[in-house]
Amino acid sequence: GQQVMQIPQYQHVQEGEDFTTYCNSSTTLSNIQWYKQRPGGHPVFLIQLVKSGEVKKQKRLTFQFGEAKKNSSLHITATQTTDVGTYFCAEPTQGGSEKLVFGKGMKLTVNP
Amino acid sequence: GAGVSQTPSNKVTEKGKYVELRCDPISGHTALYWYRQSLGQGPEFLIYFQGTGAADDSGLPNDRFFAVRPEGSVSTLKIQRTERGDSAVYLCASSPGTAYSPLHFGNGTRLTVT
């Protein structure tokens, strides 16, 4: 079945450090979405990528869609304690359903 | 309302009991989703409505789970003969229903089966 792999599953960084997390799919995607869930909260939509090689930025967050549309990355520059949370990528299923399949997430903790 | 509303926020029930979880989506959103999230996991798809009909119910784990959306707005997730393994946070999300629409999640209902 369709799988969304996120690596790493856990990331602990010092405040101010940069890091990158990745999302890999077993299929070619029409689009990919990223969500953030703060501790005790619910997932909140961050960004959607549709075009091959697309790069989008939100302040210190840079999202990229792979050229083959099978993977995506999230790069955070100068990590802050407000970045703490779990970041999920989500991809639509094949076959026309609007169902989104979520990865297990990448849990980020930040040492101040 | 401004966002997706879910009630109750917490529900504790005994094994074998029946529970109903309610979701009130963002006004005008035609698509409504139910997900289940266990600790340390991503949201697991259960069912998706487009309007009143279930467009995809492939994620419902078994016939103890059922969901309705009779008027195309509020939805109820119903779980019969609850089991301890059903304990999780049940998340509802809505979207405008157009292709690639992002999901707007509610705060979830934390279900605990004792």
Side-chain angles (χ1 to χ4, degrees):
Chain A
Q2 193 167 353
Q3 292 186 346
V4 183
M5 304 298 293
Q6 286 192 249
I7 49 172
Q9 280 192 266
Y10 302 93
Q11 183 82 39
H12 180 76
V13 301
Q14 285 291 131
E15 192 171 22
E17 285 184 349
D18 300 352
F19 82 94
T20 304
T21 183
Y22 301 90
C23 180
N24 298 316
S25 174
S26 55
T27 59
T28 302
L29 305 171
S30 57
N31 71 95
I32 194 162
Q33 298 181 13
W34 285 87
Y35 292 76
K36 178 183 178 181
Q37 186 172 23
R38 293 183 185 274
H42 57 272
V44 174
F45 173 76
L46 293 176
I47 207 87
Q48 178 177 257
L49 303 169
V50 179
K51 299 177 184 175
S52 168
E54 187 171 18
V55 177
K56 287 188 176 179
K57 293 191 176 186
Q58 285 184 352
K59 297 182 180 177
R60 293 176 295 100
L61 276 61
T62 302
F63 301 84
Q64 184 163 7
F65 206 2
E67 292 292 338
K69 299 180 76 173
K70 284 191 167 185
N71 54 65
S72 180
S73 64
L74 160 58
H75 180 80
I76 301 183
T77 304
T79 310
Q80 298 178 359
T81 55
T82 52
D83 296 324
V84 163
T86 302
Y87 293 81
F88 295 99
C89 59
E91 61 182 54
T93 51
Q94 304 295 303
S97 170
E98 288 294 315
K99 155 181 155 185
L100 273 183
V101 175
F102 283 77
K104 287 189 174 182
M106 188 283 299
K107 184 175 180 179
L108 175 66
T109 53
V110 178
N111 209 21
Chain B
V4 177
S5 175
Q6 291 189 247
T7 55
S9 54
N10 279 284
K11 176 72 177 177
V12 180
T13 190
E14 291 180 348
K15 179 176 178 297
K17 299 290 188 183
Y18 168 82
V19 295
E20 289 190 353
L21 312 179
R22 176 188 166 107
C23 173
D24 199 342
I26 292 172
S27 178
H29 278 190
T30 59
L32 185 146
Y33 300 74
W34 284 99
Y35 284 83
R36 176 169 70 175
Q37 187 174 30
S38 300
L39 195 62
Q41 301 294 314
E44 173 195 6
F45 173 80
L46 296 177
I47 186 169
Y48 145 65
F49 289 88
Q50 183 64 264
T52 59
D56 187 336
D57 64 357
S58 61
L60 294 177
N62 51 60
D63 61 6
R64 295 187 297 107
F65 289 74
F66 189 71
V68 295
R69 195 185 184 199
E71 297 177 358
S73 179
V74 170
S75 176
T76 305
L77 177 65
K78 308 179 181 195
I79 310 174
Q80 298 178 322
R81 304 183 305 279
T82 51
E83 300 177 356
R84 293 196 180 90
D86 299 334
S87 297
V89 175
Y90 288 80
L91 293 165
C92 176
S94 70
S95 81
T98 50
Y100 309 164
S101 300
L103 303 188
H104 301 259
F105 282 88
N107 288 330
T109 294
R110 181 175 297 279
L111 175 66
T112 303
V113 181
T114 62

